Amino acid sequence: MAASPTDPGTPDRRGPARYLWWVIARQRRRVAAGALLGSAWMIGLTLPPYLLSRAIDDGLRPGDQVALAGWVAALFGVGVLNAGLAIMRHRTMTRIRLDAYFRTVRVVVDHATRLGAALPRRVSAGEVVTIGNSDVGVIGQTLTVTGPGVGAVLGYFVVAALLLSVSPLLAVVVLLGVPLLALLVGPFLGRLQGAETAYRDRQGTLAAVLGDLAGGLRILNGLGGKGVFAARYRHGSRQLLDEGYRVGSSVSWIQAFGLGLPTVFLATVTWLAARMAAQGTITVGELVAVYGYVAVLVVPVSFFIESGYDIGRGLVSARRVVHFLNLEPEGFTAWAPDGEGAGEVHESGLGTKVSGTGVDPVDAPEAPAPLRDPVSGVEVSPGILTALVSAHPSDATDVVDRLGRFTPSPTTWGTVRLDSVALDQVRARILVADNEADLFAGTLRAAISGRRAPDERTLARVIDEAVAGDVVVGLPGGLDARLDAHGHNLSGGQRQRVRLARALLADPEVLLAVEPTSAVDAHTEARMASRLRAARSRRTTLVTTTSPLVLNQADVVYYLVEGRVSAVGRHADLLAAHPDYRSVVSRGSVEQPPARAATEQIAEARAPEDHGPPAPQDHQDPRPSAEPTHETLR
């Protein structure tokens, strides 16, 4: 079956050998063609020795020029035919390897997409990178055994049959000698597979450390921790080097046997044939043929050894791929009220966790409905801007994860449990805009558009709503400017506004934004807050923040203490009534009277509209902060 450009099929995840067989079975016709061409090419290699022996015995020794010319012409024709077969075999095997390569890439990428937010919690980025860069290539190379490998087996028996027609003794030597070679190489193949497994595990771990080091280099510089991570990487690199030496040692022995043993075997059979020719048991032409047969036999023997090597490495790589494919997405977990159904009581005491109930997903509410998180007490009402404040940002993030259905919880959406709604409906209507969401390498236009194809007017609108106009103007090429991976050629505030523009373009029914303004200056933050409110008018929006400029725009503010709602109300009311809330959101300015603080904050929120366009680069927020932003760490 030829490769499909859109559907790679459902992989067999029951084991590495079964996965490799599935890759083969997905292109049966091509593999059969490769095996046929490989076999024809390998058998064709045995014909020149026979033709050469006939040219010697029938033409050269008797001096028959016509017979000599005929056999030479036949020898030339076979050479041309073998060259053509070799070309077709190589082209077919290249297609087989590429099909296996890209098919594995597709199933890995598709499964990574299905894992979604669970991916970073299940496997490191380094492991995924190593699978994509190394394992898929090894799996493709393993499929070489389906062409030359099959041909090597047939070629071995054809040579044995030809030698049987010359001398039964030589045929027996060949039939027994080749299995003996395989027995000698076998232990090294087993040792190699163990060394490859250890090397592959170490490689994935080291890639993860390198990814962490590269991704957090700016922060590590600011905290002085770069040296610690660099030392850890050097230590892991030395361990990987030691494992590499083990792999290299096994490979060197295998290659030595692959080249040396067939040569010794060739010399042994040739010596026996020469003695027979000297004794008159076989003719000179048959002696030449025997030498040619055994010389040809070196090719399939080498393929035997290489195939064993490739299969061992392929099983190691397929095992890693299968392990990745067997990672399960974080599916929904049914929750029942206390006293209904059997299960484990959740630590919150709010209900009973019913696992494995087999309940079919239900439809989401047809109209906009409130999202309720019983664990914290937060309720996101439809059509308004809700803010979430916490002295510990992780508490607010946990609430967003539950409301966005990224962690199991008893959250409800209207009258139904959120975790019982079909996941595709949740993702289509509820969007979590994470402050650390990735920006992929490509154009700025692609980074904002995602999978959509908006017109220029729509793009201009969301860019203005996210106060990202200066980002577009400041990049050479504007919207068509190239972004580095993760947007590393942008500042933290610029990346934040690009992410917000992308979220606003998506225009979800419910937008859950995590700290959307934490890395910009005060003037830009105020403009972003007011425009976000206008852009999401009559749409359901939740933002986590401690910025008074954003909180002034909120219709309702939830203040969390230890992960639970401590107070609810308007920002100004909470400032006046709750000193601990005022301490969190004023960022050290608690000495101001509450009324005065509220008045100045409202004025500050309105003033930036008259300050004109923001500066090309983001400036540090002058207000003291309990936690460093990305800009200060940079």
Side-chain angles (χ1 to χ4, degrees):
M1 182 180 294
S4 169
T6 56
D7 181 21
T10 302
D12 192 331
R13 302 176 296 170
R14 291 175 291 178
R18 289 181 179 271
Y19 179 82
L20 291 177
W21 180 252
W22 172 78
V23 174
I24 293 172
R26 292 295 294 179
Q27 42 178 338
R28 298 186 189 93
R29 295 180 182 177
R30 187 177 291 157
V31 168
L36 178 62
L37 290 171
S39 301
W41 171 72
M42 196 72 71
I43 294 172
L45 294 179
T46 65
L47 295 179
Y50 171 77
L51 297 175
L52 185 59
S53 68
R54 300 297 300 172
I56 293 174
D57 288 342
D58 296 345
L60 188 60
R61 291 186 63 190
D64 188 340
Q65 298 296 325
V66 176
L68 180 61
W71 288 114
V72 169
L75 186 62
F76 177 78
V78 168
V80 173
L81 176 62
N82 283 347
L85 289 172
I87 293 173
M88 290 188 290
R89 174 194 64 83
H90 181 73
R91 288 171 61 90
T92 303
M93 295 311 303
T94 299
R95 290 193 179 100
I96 290 173
R97 287 193 295 269
L98 290 177
D99 182 279
Y101 181 98
F102 289 112
R103 191 179 298 277
T104 301
V105 168
R106 286 200 296 269
V107 298
V108 168
V109 171
D110 288 350
H111 192 64
T113 303
R114 282 192 293 271
L115 289 173
L119 179 62
R121 294 189 286 269
R122 300 294 184 85
V123 65
S124 68
E127 176 68 9
V128 178
V129 169
T130 306
I131 290 174
N133 287 343
S134 176
D135 291 327
V136 294
V138 172
I139 289 173
Q141 182 63 32
T142 303
L143 266 66
T144 301
V145 301
T146 63
V150 174
V153 175
L154 294 178
Y156 163 66
F157 286 109
V158 169
V159 169
L162 291 172
L163 287 176
L164 185 63
S165 66
V166 176
S167 168
L169 175 61
L170 295 176
V172 170
V173 171
V174 169
L175 287 173
L176 296 179
V178 173
L180 180 61
L181 297 180
L183 290 176
L184 291 174
V185 177
F188 291 99
L189 293 175
R191 178 184 174 187
L192 175 64
Q193 187 168 349
E196 282 277 0
T197 301
Y199 180 84
R200 175 60 186 78
D201 292 341
R202 186 75 63 184
Q203 187 181 29
T205 302
L206 188 63
V209 174
L210 179 61
D212 292 340
L213 181 62
L217 188 59
R218 291 181 177 180
I219 297 177
L220 289 173
N221 265 333
L223 298 176
K226 184 175 69 172
V228 176
F229 266 78
R232 184 183 303 175
Y233 181 78
R234 283 194 294 270
H235 177 69
S237 182
R238 284 193 295 268
Q239 291 181 322
L240 182 64
L241 182 63
D242 293 339
E243 296 293 345
Y245 283 139
R246 289 185 57 204
V247 174
S249 174
S250 300
V251 171
S252 65
W253 280 106
I254 292 172
Q255 291 180 342
F257 278 118
L259 295 176
L261 290 180
T263 303
V264 173
F265 184 66
L266 170 62
T268 302
V269 176
T270 303
W271 179 77
L272 290 173
R275 286 181 58 85
M276 291 180 180
Q279 295 171 357
T281 306
I282 61 176
T283 66
V284 175
E286 289 174 332
L287 172 61
V288 173
V290 169
Y291 177 83
Y293 294 149
V294 181
V296 168
L297 193 62
V298 172
V299 177
V301 171
S302 297
F303 270 118
F304 285 150
I305 297 174
E306 290 180 8
S307 296
Y309 171 59
D310 289 337
I311 290 174
R313 297 180 68 224
L315 289 173
V316 172
S317 294
R319 185 175 295 111
R320 306 301 301 185
V321 171
V322 168
H323 172 73
F324 178 78
L325 296 179
N326 282 326
L327 297 176
E328 292 294 338
E330 294 178 344
F332 72 88
T333 302
W335 291 76
D338 288 331
E340 296 182 13
E344 301 173 1
V345 178
H346 187 254
E347 62 182 2
S348 66
L350 296 171
T352 302
K353 180 180 178 181
V354 184
S355 302
T357 58
V359 178
D360 292 331
V362 300
D363 289 331
E366 294 184 4
L371 278 171
R372 299 184 183 91
D373 175 33
V375 176
S376 64
V378 172
E379 177 175 325
V380 181
S381 300
I384 66 172
L385 175 59
T386 303
L388 203 56
V389 175
S390 175
H392 303 287
S394 60
D395 291 341
T397 303
D398 290 342
V399 174
V400 172
D401 284 343
R402 291 192 292 268
L403 294 174
R405 194 177 152 183
F406 285 104
T407 56
S409 74
T411 300
T412 59
W413 191 6
T415 59
V416 299
R417 292 189 300 254
L418 181 65
D419 53 14
S420 66
V421 178
L423 186 59
D424 57 343
Q425 297 184 30
V426 175
R427 296 289 177 259
R429 296 172 60 181
I430 300 177
L431 174 64
V432 174
D434 191 346
N435 191 30
E436 297 298 327
D438 281 331
L439 295 175
F440 297 103
T443 64
L444 178 60
R445 182 189 304 274
I448 296 176
S449 302
R451 62 169 179 251
R452 298 168 181 80
D455 55 38
E456 296 297 323
R457 179 176 297 179
T458 302
L459 272 176
R461 174 178 58 79
V462 297
I463 289 170
D464 180 69
E465 291 170 347
V467 197
D470 64 307
V471 180
V472 179
V473 174
L475 290 174
L479 284 172
D480 295 319
R482 300 291 301 181
L483 296 186
D484 295 342
H486 306 292
H488 283 164
N489 56 332
L490 300 178
S491 70
Q494 289 173 329
R495 288 195 296 271
Q496 203 164 47
R497 286 178 282 160
V498 170
R499 293 189 187 102
L500 181 58
R502 180 171 61 184
L504 293 175
L505 178 64
D507 193 26
E509 177 184 316
V510 180
L511 175 62
L512 310 175
V514 178
E515 295 287 351
T517 64
S518 60
V520 298
D521 61 84
H523 291 172
T524 304
E525 185 175 36
R527 291 157 62 89
M528 291 176 67
S530 61
R531 294 184 188 185
L532 173 63
R533 178 179 177 85
R536 296 289 299 172
S537 176
R538 293 184 297 277
R539 305 285 276 173
T540 308
T541 307
L542 170 74
V543 295
T544 70
T545 184
T546 56
S547 167
L549 300 174
V550 180
L551 295 171
N552 272 322
Q553 300 291 337
D555 296 297
V556 61
V557 178
Y558 284 87
Y559 175 49
L560 300 180
V561 176
E562 300 298 330
R564 292 182 177 273
V565 174
S566 175
V568 184
R570 300 279 298 189
H571 171 58
D573 297 334
L574 294 178
L575 278 175
H578 297 276
D580 51 346
Y581 173 84
R582 184 165 63 251
S583 176
V584 171
V585 301
S586 62
R587 302 181 183 181
S589 300
V590 295
E591 70 279 359
Q592 296 182 9
R596 179 182 174 186
T599 303
E600 291 183 358
Q601 288 160 353
I602 294 172
E604 185 180 10
R606 295 173 177 172
E609 294 297 334
D610 300 326
H611 280 71
Q617 297 187 359
D618 302 304
H619 300 289
Q620 177 61 36
D621 189 336
R623 296 166 296 174
S625 173
E627 295 186 9
T629 66
H630 294 290
E631 290 295 299
T632 59
L633 293 178
R634 186 170 71 86

